[in-house]
Amino acid sequence: MELAVYNQQGQDTGRKIQLNDEVFGIEPNEHAVYLDVKQFLANQRQGTHKSKERSEVSGSTRKLHKQKGGGGSRIGDINSPVLVGGGRVFGPRPRDYRFKLNKKLKALARRSALSAKAQEGQIIVVDSINFDAPKTKDFVNFTKNLKVEGKKLLLVLSDKNNNVYLSSRNVPNVHLMNASDINTYALLNNNAIIMTEGSVELINNSK
């Protein structure tokens, strides 16, 4: 598959870049994508939820009234789960939601996401992105030139560019990533993907 290369002003340079069919042209594996996204979201969970059980509630352990003869139900101390403010039975406990996937499966999921985006025509390639100084206005004009203004946008660079990062960080729904850091969730969670030529070359060589 070939894609046209645009410049920063949104003009077609007349050049095309070849996408590696082993990366951008495979049949997407939906189950691999599902597992990778599930792992990514699970890894974001803090797992710090906690409720107090009977033994952890602060209160007297004195029996509230005698066992029998009171005309009511039998009851223990004030920490009993049946009372307001008492302990909670089988409440949530801190846990780690993370789980592992093998590298080959994650790579397959990433290639599947790239292939799906390429087939849907949601990938735009630019020759380079450079700003003389950090200016949000310049970045907004850049998105207008490429007709992606207002879309959930993933910008993929070949290496770190501080001016681009500072110019884009205040624009809603814009995410900036290096080519070496892209993941399945980030690719699927955006409606448009802008890649520099350098980042495409790095991704073409990834497995």
Side-chain angles (χ1 to χ4, degrees):
M1 179 184 292
E2 288 184 338
L3 291 181
V5 178
Y6 295 88
N7 61 21
Q8 196 165 310
Q9 288 69 43
Q11 301 166 337
D12 193 336
T13 62
R15 296 186 292 107
K16 292 185 180 296
I17 189 167
Q18 182 69 38
L19 302 183
N20 186 348
D21 288 338
E22 294 182 1
V23 178
F24 290 91
I26 69 170
E27 181 67 28
N29 187 312
E30 293 183 2
H31 188 61
V33 170
Y34 161 75
L35 290 175
D36 199 8
V37 171
K38 181 181 179 181
Q39 185 208 34
F40 179 87
L41 294 176
N43 290 352
Q44 308 308 305
R45 298 187 67 174
Q46 296 296 310
T48 54
H49 39 34
K50 176 71 171 68
S51 65
K52 289 186 178 181
E53 298 182 354
R54 184 170 186 162
S55 62
E56 298 171 313
V57 175
S58 177
S60 172
T61 58
R62 179 182 63 85
K63 190 173 178 62
L64 294 179
H65 55 71
K66 64 180 182 178
Q67 181 81 345
K68 297 180 180 180
S73 62
R74 303 174 182 183
I75 195 167
D77 57 56
I78 200 171
N79 302 333
S80 172
V82 301
L83 298 179
V84 175
R88 182 173 176 183
V89 179
F90 303 126
R93 293 185 176 185
R95 57 165 290 191
D96 186 358
Y97 288 91
R98 292 177 296 180
F99 63 93
K100 292 184 178 181
L101 292 177
N102 65 60
K103 291 182 179 179
K104 288 186 178 180
L105 181 62
K106 290 180 70 67
L108 174 60
R110 187 168 54 250
R111 295 198 306 270
S112 295
L114 287 167
S115 297
K117 289 297 183 180
Q119 292 166 13
E120 294 168 4
Q122 295 184 4
I123 296 179
I124 301 172
V125 180
V126 295
D127 51 4
S128 63
I129 306 173
N130 289 297
F131 298 129
D132 295 331
K135 286 187 179 179
T136 302
K137 182 178 179 180
D138 288 346
F139 186 85
V140 171
N141 288 334
F142 168 70
T143 60
K144 288 180 179 178
N145 293 337
L146 292 172
K147 300 179 181 178
V148 293
E149 183 186 15
K151 292 185 177 181
K152 291 189 72 174
L153 175 64
L154 175 64
L155 188 60
V156 184
L157 306 179
S158 57
D159 51 22
K160 185 177 179 179
N161 188 317
N162 201 47
N163 282 348
V164 175
Y165 166 71
L166 293 175
S167 299
S168 64
R169 66 178 176 175
N170 289 330
V171 182
N173 297 322
V174 172
H175 305 90
L176 187 68
M177 269 189 174
N178 287 344
S180 57
D181 298 328
I182 62 169
N183 58 71
T184 304
Y185 180 82
L187 291 168
L188 297 178
N189 195 39
N190 292 279
N191 304 123
I193 301 173
I194 297 178
M195 298 181 176
T196 61
E197 280 189 282
S199 68
V200 172
E201 291 175 1
L202 290 173
I203 297 171
N204 272 340
N205 296 326
S206 66
K207 297 295 183 182

